[in-house]
Amino acid sequence: MSIAPSITINETSGITFLNIDNAVATAQISLYGGHILSFIPKSDNVERLWLSPHAYMNGEKPIRGGIPVCWPWFSDDHGREKGELPAHGFLRSQVWQLKSSEDTDRGTVIVLTPAFTRADGFEYDCQVTLEIVVGSALTVNLTTTNTGIVPFIYNTALHTYFEIPDINHVELKGLKGSYKDKTENFAVKQTPEPYRLNQETDRIHSDAAEQLMLFNRNEKHTQINSAGHDSIVVWNPWQSAASISDMDAFGFKQMICVETAVTSGRKVEPGEAHTLTQIIS
């Protein structure tokens, strides 16, 4: 298989990284976890993704930051006791394979597949592909195809960590309606206006907004487009970051997770495919 000219490959501490540098953007992808670590459009040279300086980059634990792939369940919603199965599923802690790459008019197109999709907690026949397009925008398509003879239900998310200058001056626009507050035992609350964070936040918004905007001091910082989702999850650990081993105690000030997600279960019939999409610009 030939590698696209815009891609260079290096290996550090047993992890293989794809480094993309084309006419419109740079990016970095870890094959451990099928994990996008960086995306910088050359139009403004501003990093869109936050990566913890204390992230485990040796395969010992899932990487903290970037875009973790949550599949086939979200959080600990796997039907077992908490901790019995890995949080957010088992794709983010395995080595993915590079199936193809090419430079196109859209940008650098990369297709990855996980080593396996059947494991304890999800024993169905399916195929998962992650298509990443590094262009003037970053397009991420996570496609699950049912290759078996029975339907299955799964949850999934692109758990994106966005880098921001200061959480105290960031506003998220585009959400409405109610959300479930995980910090208060899933209490149902109304989306605030303006939408700013000032405490630990873990919210599942049932409003599957197709376009969201992050503003910093009233200036556009990042646009987030989504498709194939049923919810948007917003997360920031705030001062609880001090208890997270792979995160700086004050790291919460430079990040906000805005996740394109399926949290209410997506049924996939035999022969059917479902794609979760997030586009970042």
Side-chain angles (χ1 to χ4, degrees):
M1 178 186 65
S2 61
I3 305 298
S6 63
I7 299 175
T8 58
I9 300 176
N10 72 286
E11 184 173 312
T12 304
S13 300
I15 295 181
T16 301
F17 298 93
L18 308 180
N19 304 290
I20 300 92
D21 188 347
N22 59 33
V24 293
T26 64
Q28 186 179 51
I29 301 168
S30 163
L31 292 189
Y32 174 70
H35 202 127
I36 304 169
L37 306 177
S38 171
F39 171 62
I40 304 175
K42 291 185 177 179
S43 59
D44 59 14
N45 291 313
V46 175
E47 175 66 75
R48 297 301 196 267
L49 304 179
W50 179 86
L51 180 65
S52 172
H54 302 299
Y56 289 86
M57 303 299 287
N58 57 6
E60 183 179 331
K61 292 178 63 176
I63 297 170
R64 173 77 62 185
I67 308 181
V69 175
C70 305
W71 189 100
W73 54 78
F74 182 77
S75 187
D76 292 300
D77 188 17
H78 42 58
R80 306 273 190 89
E81 292 294 323
K82 184 176 181 179
E84 188 174 338
L85 293 173
H88 294 312
F90 49 81
L91 291 194
R92 67 192 187 121
S93 59
Q94 61 177 273
V95 177
W96 291 53
Q97 298 176 330
L98 174 61
K99 303 302 290 185
S100 66
S101 65
E102 61 177 331
D103 291 327
T104 72
D105 292 341
R106 294 191 296 155
T108 306
V109 181
I110 297 163
V111 177
L112 306 178
T113 59
F116 57 88
T117 57
R118 177 192 285 265
D120 189 17
F122 188 84
E123 299 183 356
Y124 297 96
D125 294 321
C126 69
Q127 180 183 52
V128 173
T129 59
L130 183 66
E131 181 193 60
I132 302 162
V133 183
V134 180
S136 55
L138 176 68
T139 301
V140 186
N141 294 311
L142 181 68
T143 300
T144 301
T145 303
N146 186 340
T147 59
I149 59 174
V150 297
F152 59 76
I153 296 174
Y154 81 114
N155 287 326
T156 183
L158 296 169
H159 193 308
T160 307
Y161 290 72
F162 290 95
E163 181 165 299
I164 52 176
D166 185 342
I167 190 64
N168 295 301
H169 302 294
V170 166
E171 181 179 344
L172 179 62
K173 294 186 178 182
L175 286 171
K176 62 181 185 300
S178 64
Y179 67 87
K180 296 176 183 177
D181 192 334
K182 292 182 67 176
T183 69
E184 295 189 22
N185 198 30
F186 292 90
V188 177
K189 299 182 179 180
Q190 290 300 305
T191 297
E193 177 62 38
Y195 199 123
R196 300 190 180 107
L197 304 189
N198 57 18
Q199 61 185 358
E200 182 177 353
T201 302
D202 195 352
R203 301 166 177 172
I204 301 175
H205 290 264
S206 56
D207 171 34
E210 295 182 356
Q211 183 178 100
L212 300 171
M213 304 284 284
L214 280 172
F215 283 81
N216 177 59
R217 296 184 185 273
N218 296 320
E219 293 186 2
K220 177 191 170 185
H221 184 71
T222 302
Q223 180 171 312
I224 308 158
N225 288 61
S226 303
H229 59 313
D230 65 18
S231 52
I232 297 289
V233 178
V234 179
W235 180 75
N236 185 298
W238 216 253
Q239 293 181 353
S240 295
S243 64
I244 299 175
S245 64
D246 54 357
M247 191 169 177
D248 182 88
F250 299 101
F252 71 91
K253 294 183 177 181
Q254 274 70 57
M255 55 74 62
I256 180 173
C257 281
V258 182
E259 309 165 35
T260 298
V262 175
T263 60
S264 297
R266 178 60 160 81
K267 187 176 184 179
V268 185
E269 298 286 349
E272 183 185 7
H274 171 251
T275 299
L276 183 69
T277 299
Q278 187 177 72
I279 303 173
I280 299 167
S281 58

